[in-house]
Amino acid sequence: MVSRVRLYFLFLAALIALYYLIPINGRLLWQPDETRYAEISREMLSNGHWAVPHFLDLRYFEKPVLGYWINTIGQWLMGESNLAVRAGAIISTLLSSLLLAKFAESLWRCRKTAYLTAVIHLTLLIVYGIGTYAVLDPILTLWFVTAMVCFWQAYQACERGKKICYYALLGICCGLGVMTKGFIALAVPVISILPWLLTAQRRVEIILYSFLAMFCCSLTVLPWAVTIAQQEPDFWHYFFWIEHVQRFAQSNAQHDAPFWYYFPWFIAGSLPWLGLLPGALYYGWRYRTTKAGYLLAWTIMPLLFFSLANGKLLTYILPCFAPLALLMARYLRVSLTKGNSAIKLAAWINILFASLVIIAAIAVSPWGVMDKPFWPTTEIGKFVLALLAFAVWLLCAYLALKCPRFGWQSLACCPLGIALAFGSITPASIILTKAPQFFLQSTAQALRPSRFILSNDVGIAAGIAWQLKRSDVMMLNNRGELAYGLSYPDARHKFISLADFPAWLAQHRASGTISLFLKVENKALPPSVPPADRVVQQGRVILIQYFPQ
């Protein structure tokens, strides 16, 4: 028994190392999200503006400050590396999995279920994809998970002292969520608890104790809220009306998408455990008046809430997969005692998925049916590596089918080939536009002595600032998400329109080299850009330089 426990923990440690540590630093930072969060935290560490986030030396009010603090700690401890940029998301994901495992053990008094919860959560495709990507949602998910666990423990506690402690922790976690990504941290726990609360006992007690949680939440946020209001009086107006009301409710919200947008991603994100999804949801519904019903409401209600909002991003539904991992683990544990039907179904789904992807990869290869293949003939090695990565997926699914004794271990390893090879199979055409580091690494030497650097893409501008460790990059003809920061009188010099650029160039050219780093359509240079002394182009990305005259 002891040896089996050790083997389980060795297997889990290997999964963490292979998925969340070894390949991470080799993956370039993608724009706009990763380059943005990397640069904001770098500037915070560099300029000491800890209360007010700045981006390219501009006020940046899209998000509160806690997520940047956590990312800044990662860079402070680990240096300015790709792994350091993603450390906040990775550590938050690992802590969420650990907390879910402990919660599973307290719910069902079963260590095997707790262990399966951690394995399933860490290897869910959407959890791994977002959990190793430098965004704030994994950090926010950690606060959600902690808050929901605290509420359940508070409800179950018999002693008043424990109830007060757990409700206070619930409020603190909600406050930390507000400081990470805003008021959505209050809405999601409430809508997740509400359906279960309608069937639960002692509702008056819950309502009374909720005031304690709200008080602790307010105390958590208050010091920073007052500080930023004193330094930037317009922050809360912009953050509430633009970043919350407009993004989620108005018809012109950012990232507008139809109601059903999340449902295909919910299904795809459940791989390689998709075969457990129907049984897990049915289990939650069948026992909806018990702890399983609490987990089901926690899964479904945020999904419906974000589906009703006009503004949608894939990362928003990440919190739904925490309780889903608990339901899947419990359903799998019960299924294993009755046979291996759930494992077999999951294995067949993964065999089908991997086979279809391999066929699709061949179809978009140089030997496929497309006029412009996904991988050109110069990138045959990447195509072969992609086939091998999905062959690993197919092999692991086949082993899960043929060796039921190691079925769930094999399923956990299905995405491993993609995790290890992702940075090496992405075509250069995508890397050039999504990962500015790729082009910047070969042009950094020429860019460094530039007196002025301008870009027409915010993500690329952030990549330049991160790579060169300078935040004075200016915007050319495109304000993007920096429009609000650029509207301040002391920041208007950081934007140049394309029509004004020739005159601005003539005025500033004598002061030093001027470099434009542009993303263009149809690989064509904008006709209004004056003739340059040096032009370097790779795909849709162009470096244009004007030397002093």
Side-chain angles (χ1 to χ4, degrees):
M1 182 64 181
V2 175
S3 60
R4 178 177 294 183
V5 171
R6 288 180 178 175
L7 286 175
Y8 280 172
F9 279 101
L10 286 174
F11 179 72
L12 182 60
L15 286 181
I16 293 172
L18 293 172
Y19 277 103
Y20 287 87
L21 298 177
I22 292 175
I24 302 304
N25 205 49
R27 279 171 25 196
L28 299 175
L29 298 180
W30 280 44
Q31 66 98 1
D33 294 320
E34 292 198 298
T35 54
R36 178 202 304 127
Y37 292 123
E39 176 57 18
I40 292 173
S41 297
R42 188 198 67 80
E43 290 184 36
M44 184 172 286
L45 193 60
S46 175
N47 59 31
H49 292 159
W50 294 96
V52 182
H54 281 72
F55 183 22
L56 300 178
D57 288 337
L58 302 169
R59 298 169 182 85
Y60 192 72
F61 294 165
E62 287 205 2
K63 299 292 183 293
V65 76
L66 182 58
Y68 305 137
W69 286 351
I70 293 173
N71 290 338
T72 300
I73 292 171
Q75 294 187 34
W76 177 58
L77 293 175
M78 305 171 65
E80 293 169 343
S81 64
N82 296 349
L83 177 60
V85 172
R86 298 173 174 129
I90 292 172
I91 294 173
S92 297
T93 302
L94 297 180
L95 289 176
S96 295
S97 298
L98 175 62
L99 184 57
L100 288 170
K102 296 296 292 183
F103 189 42
E105 187 173 5
S106 70
L107 287 176
W108 293 294
R109 307 299 178 186
C110 176
R111 289 187 178 182
K112 183 69 172 291
T113 302
Y115 180 80
L116 290 173
T117 298
V119 170
I120 290 173
H121 186 254
L122 288 171
T123 54
L124 282 166
L125 199 58
I126 193 169
V127 173
Y128 168 75
I130 301 175
T132 57
Y133 187 65
V135 288
L136 302 180
D137 299 270
I139 303 172
L140 183 65
T141 298
L142 174 61
W143 307 136
F144 283 158
V145 170
T146 311
M148 295 298 289
V149 170
C150 286
F151 175 79
W152 179 262
Q153 298 294 354
Y155 182 78
Q156 297 297 319
C158 298
E159 300 176 11
R160 179 176 297 180
K162 288 185 177 181
K163 285 183 180 292
I164 292 174
C165 179
Y166 281 120
Y167 274 107
L169 286 175
L170 167 63
I172 292 171
C173 289
C174 289
L176 294 174
V178 170
M179 290 183 64
T180 300
K181 211 172 179 182
F183 300 112
I184 194 67
L186 304 178
V188 172
V190 171
I191 63 172
S192 300
I193 293 170
L194 187 60
W196 179 87
L197 183 61
L198 295 176
T199 61
Q201 303 296 322
R202 310 196 310 270
R203 286 190 289 272
V204 174
E205 172 194 297
I206 294 172
I207 294 172
L208 290 175
Y209 274 107
S210 66
F211 287 100
L212 172 62
M214 289 187 285
F215 177 72
C216 293
C217 175
S218 301
L219 284 183
T220 303
V221 178
L222 189 62
W224 170 73
V226 172
T227 301
I228 197 169
Q230 291 175 342
Q231 296 186 18
E232 298 291 343
D234 198 39
F235 173 83
W236 287 109
H237 171 264
Y238 173 86
F239 185 64
F240 180 77
W241 288 107
I242 305 299
E243 287 302 311
H244 284 77
V245 176
Q246 181 174 313
R247 174 165 290 191
F248 287 94
Q250 293 185 7
S251 58
N252 62 340
Q254 295 182 24
H255 315 294
D256 190 22
F259 172 82
W260 50 264
Y261 171 82
Y262 286 122
F263 296 99
W265 289 113
F266 185 74
I267 294 172
S270 298
L271 287 166
W273 306 98
L274 180 57
L276 305 180
L277 180 61
L281 295 178
Y282 175 73
Y283 177 86
W285 176 255
R286 182 180 178 184
Y287 299 101
R288 58 188 177 275
T289 58
T290 65
K291 61 196 81 173
Y294 181 74
L295 300 177
L296 182 65
W298 181 4
T299 303
I300 299 300
M301 294 306 294
L303 182 66
L304 294 177
F305 173 76
F306 288 118
S307 297
L308 290 171
N310 289 322
K312 296 180 177 68
L313 281 176
L314 175 60
T315 56
Y316 292 170
I317 62 170
L318 179 63
C320 303
F321 289 86
L324 183 62
L326 286 159
L327 288 172
M328 284 181 168
R330 184 57 181 171
Y331 171 69
L332 177 59
R333 184 71 181 99
V334 173
S335 178
L336 289 174
T337 62
K338 299 178 180 180
N340 295 296
S341 57
I343 293 291
K344 290 180 180 179
L345 177 60
W348 276 116
I349 290 175
N350 282 284
I351 288 173
L352 178 62
F353 170 76
S355 301
L356 291 175
V357 172
I358 289 173
I359 294 171
I362 295 173
V364 299
S365 72
W367 301 282
V369 297
M370 296 183 65
D371 294 333
K372 293 183 178 180
F374 189 67
W375 292 278
T377 54
T378 56
E379 296 183 312
I380 298 300
K382 292 186 175 185
F383 164 67
V384 173
L385 189 59
L387 288 183
L388 291 175
F390 281 102
V392 170
W393 195 310
L394 184 61
L395 176 62
C396 290
Y398 177 78
L399 291 175
L401 186 65
K402 292 300 181 181
C403 304
R405 183 181 176 185
F406 303 102
W408 58 267
Q409 294 95 328
S410 298
L411 289 176
C413 295
C414 281
L416 192 54
I418 296 299
L420 293 172
F422 181 80
S424 302
I425 65 177
T426 309
S429 58
I430 295 178
I431 292 178
L432 281 169
T433 54
K434 298 301 293 183
Q437 281 180 303
F438 184 72
F439 192 8
L440 283 166
Q441 286 171 353
S442 61
T443 56
Q445 195 67 25
L447 271 174
R448 262 179 226 286
S450 300
R451 175 64 181 85
F452 297 99
I453 301 177
L454 297 88
S455 179
N456 64 345
D457 183 88
V458 176
I460 290 178
I464 296 169
W466 163 260
Q467 190 74 19
L468 301 182
K469 311 307 179 219
R470 53 185 291 182
S471 54
D472 60 344
V473 181
M474 302 167 63
M475 299 307 301
L476 177 67
N477 207 52
N478 178 33
R479 294 179 174 86
E481 63 194 76
L482 299 176
Y484 192 80
L486 288 167
S487 66
Y488 281 80
D490 60 354
R492 290 173 183 170
H493 68 282
K494 298 260 306 182
F495 173 80
I496 309 296
S497 69
L498 204 55
D500 294 337
F501 178 70
W504 182 91
L505 175 65
Q507 181 181 357
H508 294 84
R509 191 164 184 174
S511 60
T513 300
I514 296 173
S515 300
L516 310 184
F517 212 108
L518 308 180
K519 184 166 73 173
V520 296
E521 298 294 334
N522 302 319
K523 300 182 181 181
L525 190 67
S528 55
V529 173
D533 298 307
R534 182 172 184 249
V535 177
V536 181
Q537 181 169 1
Q538 291 188 18
R540 294 174 54 201
V541 183
I542 303 177
L543 170 63
I544 304 168
Q545 290 191 299
Y546 301 90
F547 300 137
Q549 286 184 0

